[in-house]
Amino acid sequence: MDQHVYAPGYRMHFIHGRQLGETWWGWRDAVVDGYDRRTGRLTLTYLAEQPTVEVWHDRELAVTAGAPARVHEGLHAVDLGGTWINVRIESGGFTALRVPQTAITSVADGTGIAVNRPPQE
């Protein structure tokens, strides 16, 4: 396969990485259940909701069962120890992405207050 393929499951494009950094609310905590090096399939179980999700990546990953992870299904990525991997969602997971409420609008004067925002540095 061409070394410059950025489709789900292959290399991560810098724009994809930027979107992940800006979309802080889509991550779900998970644990690695297993990894099949032969097929490139990684199985994870979410901590809070308990469904499993199976993802695929084209290159071999350095991961072990029981390792903590985070999954962003909406942007097809897995965070393994601080390293973001572009993955293809193969099966399981959720059908809807959780989208947080981002602002409360005052009915009195129409002003808005941002909520659920990460702290600004």
Side-chain angles (χ1 to χ4, degrees):
M1 181 122 252
D2 183 0
Q3 65 179 351
H4 299 293
V5 174
Y6 298 104
Y10 295 93
R11 295 177 64 160
M12 182 172 292
H13 194 275
F14 76 93
I15 294 173
H16 185 190
R18 188 182 76 212
Q19 287 175 325
L20 286 166
E22 293 172 353
T23 313
W24 53 271
W25 46 263
W27 294 100
R28 286 188 167 95
D29 293 326
V31 64
V32 174
D33 282 338
Y35 177 60
D36 186 339
R37 284 174 167 63
R38 184 179 49 82
T39 64
R41 289 178 182 241
L42 178 65
T43 306
L44 305 112
T45 298
Y46 291 114
L47 298 181
E49 295 95 353
Q50 293 305 310
T52 61
V53 63
E54 188 175 78
V55 301
W56 175 84
H57 187 67
D58 75 322
R59 297 192 180 166
E60 188 170 327
L61 302 173
V63 64
T64 58
R70 294 186 315 148
V71 180
H72 197 304
E73 288 183 32
L75 292 175
H76 53 85
V78 172
D79 177 351
L80 297 171
T83 300
W84 294 344
I85 309 295
N86 180 14
V87 297
R88 182 173 66 211
I89 308 292
E90 294 288 299
S91 65
F94 293 91
T95 56
L97 181 63
R98 291 187 301 196
V99 179
Q101 181 178 358
T102 57
I104 298 171
T105 304
S106 168
V107 293
D109 62 7
T111 59
I113 301 169
V115 295
N116 294 331
R117 300 284 304 193
Q120 299 296 316
E121 293 183 19

